[in-house]
Amino acid sequence: MKIALMDSGIGLLAATAAVRRLRPDADLVLSLDPEGMPWGPRTPEDLTERALAVAEAAAAHRPDALIVGCNTATVHALTALRARLEPALPVIGTVPAIKPAAAGGGPVAIWATPATTGSPYQRGLIRDFADGVEVAEVPCWGLAEAVERADEAAIDAAVAAAAELTPAEVTTVVLGCTHYELVAERIRAAVQRPGAPALVLHGSAGAVAAQALRRIGSRPEPAAEPGGTVTVLLSGREGPLPASALAYAEGRLLSAVSPVR
């Protein structure tokens, strides 16, 4: 089995680690775009063009499925990616976990990039899946970029700023950018109020990994022999895992279990 994941940067690590935990025997192809990152500020047309190039680089390695490990790329490019690659290659997008978060009753905060916060896309998800639940949209200025660089001080500052914008009564936080899952516990510590019930965090990585296996008719086998390889593509060329990835448990898991070739 071979699973490919794509993103402009290391935001795909959370889903990659989730796939690795479900199927430690799967070969992984990580297709990144360091020459074109960040994708967020790009126009939808430009972003789609970059995403198609990154996806086709991954597809050349003949994976069984492709995970779009980026919320922004899913919003703007998923339709084009599926039109180009399916049905030969199933393409799985990443959607903020608003539906399961709202099922808990709220109040809910959605932490997302400034471009996504308040967007018609996110408002549509809130309307469809969180009707009747109190939802606060929280823009996280600079957090994805700080996580990408593994800049500890910048991460702390961005998390603290977003926590200040998060209503005190919030019981659940949706991590609406894949980068945020890499610092989930720091977000929890910043938002958790003394004496309040334990904060619930909802990311997308686990659900996306499980959906990829379902799309190819496979089952989780977490006890399988951990022999899967990891191939990293940097703007289409094989290269090393970015050094910043090793600042996070998800990146270290890949190197420890399956040395990047």
Side-chain angles (χ1 to χ4, degrees):
M1 180 193 305
K2 183 182 290 185
I3 304 291
L5 301 97
M6 59 170 281
D7 190 5
S8 63
I10 63 172
L12 52 65
L13 285 178
T16 303
V19 172
R20 172 58 76 232
R21 293 185 184 102
L22 292 177
R23 289 301 300 252
D25 57 334
D27 293 332
L28 302 175
V29 178
L30 312 186
S31 190
L32 288 69
D33 188 27
E35 293 179 5
M37 67 179 300
W39 283 350
R42 293 180 176 274
T43 65
E45 295 76 16
D46 190 18
L47 187 155
T48 298
E49 182 179 342
R50 302 295 310 189
L52 285 168
V54 168
E56 289 179 337
H61 288 253
R62 302 181 67 83
D64 298 297
L66 172 65
I67 293 172
V68 184
C70 173
N71 298 90
T72 302
T74 297
V75 172
H76 296 297
L78 185 61
T79 299
L81 290 168
R82 285 179 167 164
R84 181 76 59 87
L85 299 172
E86 291 189 343
L89 177 60
V91 180
I92 296 90
T94 299
V95 177
I98 295 172
K99 184 176 182 179
V108 174
I110 304 171
W111 282 34
T113 62
T116 299
T117 301
S119 66
Y121 165 74
Q122 184 160 289
R123 291 281 169 86
L125 292 175
I126 294 169
R127 182 185 63 250
D128 292 343
F129 299 121
D131 187 37
V133 176
E134 185 178 344
V135 176
E137 296 181 87
V138 178
C140 302
W141 298 94
L143 181 53
E145 294 82 357
V147 171
E148 180 70 33
R149 301 191 307 269
D151 184 329
E152 297 291 326
I155 291 170
D156 286 344
V159 167
E164 284 292 320
L165 298 175
T166 302
E169 64 273 14
V170 158
T171 61
T172 304
V173 173
V174 174
L175 304 177
C177 170
T178 54
H179 280 80
Y180 303 170
E181 297 191 49
L182 301 179
V183 292
E185 291 310 310
R186 293 164 78 161
I187 292 171
R188 184 193 304 279
V191 178
Q192 180 69 55
R193 310 296 179 182
L199 186 73
V200 178
L201 298 182
H202 282 277
S204 302
V208 167
Q211 175 66 2
L213 295 184
R214 284 193 293 270
R215 287 289 304 275
I216 62 176
S218 186
R219 295 177 177 272
E221 294 185 16
E225 188 69 24
T229 62
V230 180
T231 300
V232 178
L233 306 175
L234 304 175
S235 298
R237 299 178 294 276
E238 289 196 30
L241 193 66
S244 59
L246 300 180
Y248 305 102
E250 293 83 353
R252 294 192 295 272
L253 171 69
L254 294 181
S255 294
V257 176
S258 307
V260 178
R261 70 184 191 192

